[in-house]
């Protein structure tokens, strides 16, 4: 059992979102669906929570009503081993959502994601400030991160 589990508050799309996320991220699954009972506060039989895993990380999706919405203050950061993985996740998660700067996007449910190639923090962390700052400038001009453009900037 995971000690801390992020809970995502949806109006009424918890199951739809969890099914979408588990279809996009390899190694993911729906764990359990719980429904509201007669005591409410939502209609009896409506999905209350969906427990799901994304690549081994457990999440809870709650149909809590329209009182709260997502914003960029919380995002899900995804470590990507290759440009192919960046491209696939960017395309799938971004469909129906909106692109942001520096590898950020919002999905169709309003959840913010950071699609981060593993090379980015490595290049940004280079002890040579000239190289790392060239990478930073390149990243700041991107929406979806392009690894080759980062490498080109790094190499100057």
């Amino acid at each position: 059992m995971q000690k801390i589990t992020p809970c995502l508050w949806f109006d009424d799309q918890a199951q739809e979102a969890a099914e979408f996320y588990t279809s996009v991220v390899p190694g993911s699954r729906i764990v359990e669906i719980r429904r509201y009972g007669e005591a409410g506060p939502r209609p009896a039989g409506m999905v209350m929570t969906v427990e799901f895993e994304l690549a081994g990380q457990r999440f809870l999706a709650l149909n809590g009503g329209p009182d709260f919405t997502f914003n960029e203050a919380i995002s899900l950061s995804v470590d990507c081993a290759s440009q192919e993985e960046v491209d696939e996740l960017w395309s799938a998660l971004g469909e129906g959502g909106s692109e942001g700067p520096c590898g950020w996007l919002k999905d169709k449910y309003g959840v913010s994601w950071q699609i981060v190639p593993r090379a980015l923090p490595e290049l940004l962390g280079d002890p040579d400030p000239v190289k790392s700052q060239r990478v930073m400038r390149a990243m700041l001009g991107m929406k979806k991160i392009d690894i080759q453009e980062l490498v080109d900037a790094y190499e100057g």
Side-chain angles (χ1 to χ4, degrees):
M1 183 74 180
Q2 186 171 288
K3 188 164 188 82
I4 298 173
T5 302
C7 179
L8 304 174
W9 179 299
F10 296 88
D11 179 2
D12 60 4
Q13 311 95 343
Q15 183 173 356
E16 177 185 320
E19 288 172 350
F20 172 65
Y21 299 148
T22 57
S23 75
V24 169
V25 178
S28 301
R29 68 188 179 104
I30 301 289
V31 175
E32 186 173 7
I33 297 173
R34 294 179 187 93
R35 298 185 179 278
Y36 283 102
E38 295 298 324
R42 308 289 308 261
M46 177 182 189
V47 170
M48 179 174 65
T49 60
V50 179
E51 193 171 348
F52 63 103
E53 288 181 359
L54 298 179
Q57 170 70 46
R58 188 94 25 133
F59 291 86
L60 188 65
L62 167 70
N63 279 331
D67 299 330
F68 301 106
T69 58
F70 298 107
N71 66 47
E72 293 81 358
I74 295 288
S75 62
L76 304 178
S77 183
V78 184
D79 171 63
C80 297
S82 67
Q83 186 67 52
E84 180 181 40
E85 188 178 8
V86 168
D87 294 347
E88 288 173 2
L89 288 172
W90 187 267
S91 177
L93 291 168
E95 187 174 337
S98 60
E99 295 182 351
C102 305
W104 287 59
L105 62 82
K106 276 191 178 186
D107 67 26
K108 60 187 171 185
Y109 304 103
V111 174
S112 292
W113 296 79
Q114 297 178 57
I115 309 303
V116 183
R118 195 165 295 148
L120 178 61
E122 293 170 4
L123 296 171
L124 286 173
D126 191 281
D128 182 337
V130 173
K131 290 180 175 182
S132 65
Q133 289 306 294
R134 284 195 308 248
V135 172
M136 176 64 79
R137 279 191 291 281
M139 181 205 59
L140 290 172
M142 296 179 188
K143 288 190 181 276
K144 178 179 74 173
I145 302 298
D146 183 303
I147 297 170
Q148 188 58 55
E149 284 186 38
L150 295 177
V151 170
D152 291 346
Y154 177 82
E155 293 173 351

